Amino acid sequence: MIITVTPPSPHEKDQWLPLWRGYLDFYRTDLSEEITDLTWRRCFDLHEPLYMLVARHDGAWRGFAILVLHRSTWAKEDYCYLEDLFTAPEARGQGVATALIEAGADLARAYGCSRYYWLTEDSNHTAQVLYDKIGRKSGFIQYVKPL
């Protein structure tokens, strides 16, 4: 499978929505249409530090990644957080996630970031097999306090 990774065009929201909904279903969550629309718009707003990448095969969307550039108190360079990563179920195991992660690393390098990182659920063992090959565990455990 030949995979190309590029930013999407603003008029491609209809191609993104089924993948976005699949991603939300995978993580057993539901977001309002308002948040979904806001996320899409932010990915095209030059004043926002959000960037979307799309993996395509034969022109069809096979996956997406959304990255966030942010400041750090531990470095003068920005960090790049791969916040969202999803591969269409029918395209899994075909290099889509790897292509998106590597393209995200290229974006992080292009912006001069000194760290590129992501999280996954500890029950997502399938993804961890890939992540263990291309990254390293940080040794940190994330905690969340509801607000």
Side-chain angles (χ1 to χ4, degrees), residues 11-79:
H11 68 276
E12 293 183 291
K13 185 177 179 184
D14 289 344
Q15 285 90 338
W16 173 67
L17 282 173
L19 292 174
W20 177 248
R21 290 185 182 119
Y23 174 68
L24 297 177
D25 289 346
F26 181 84
Y27 281 109
R28 299 166 309 283
T29 194
D30 188 35
L31 295 177
S32 69
E33 287 300 312
E34 177 186 15
I35 296 299
T36 293
D37 291 342
L38 180 62
T39 298
W40 179 258
R41 286 193 317 272
R42 283 178 171 167
C43 289
F44 297 97
D45 185 335
L46 298 177
H47 301 290
E48 292 283 351
L50 252 59
Y51 300 87
M52 185 184 296
L53 297 171
V54 176
R56 293 180 174 91
H57 172 68
D58 288 339
W61 285 45
R62 301 297 186 206
F64 74 90
I66 299 177
L67 304 104
V68 182
L69 301 184
H70 66 88
R71 299 276 188 220
S72 168
T73 59
W74 289 20
K76 68 179 182 177
E77 301 87 3
D78 284 347
Y79 285 179

Side-chain angles (χ1 to χ4, degrees), residues 3-8 19 51-56 61-67 80 82 84-88 91 94-109 116 118 130-131 134:
I3 301 161
T4 58
V5 178
T6 62
L19 292 174
Y51 300 87
M52 185 184 296
L53 297 171
V54 176
R56 293 180 174 91
W61 285 45
R62 301 297 186 206
F64 74 90
I66 299 177
L67 304 104
C80 182
L82 174 57
D84 304 307
L85 175 66
F86 186 73
T87 299
Q94 298 177 32
V96 173
T98 300
L100 286 164
I101 292 168
E102 293 302 331
D106 290 342
L107 184 139
R109 284 186 207 98
Y116 177 46
W118 59 93
L130 170 64
Y131 301 160
I134 60 178

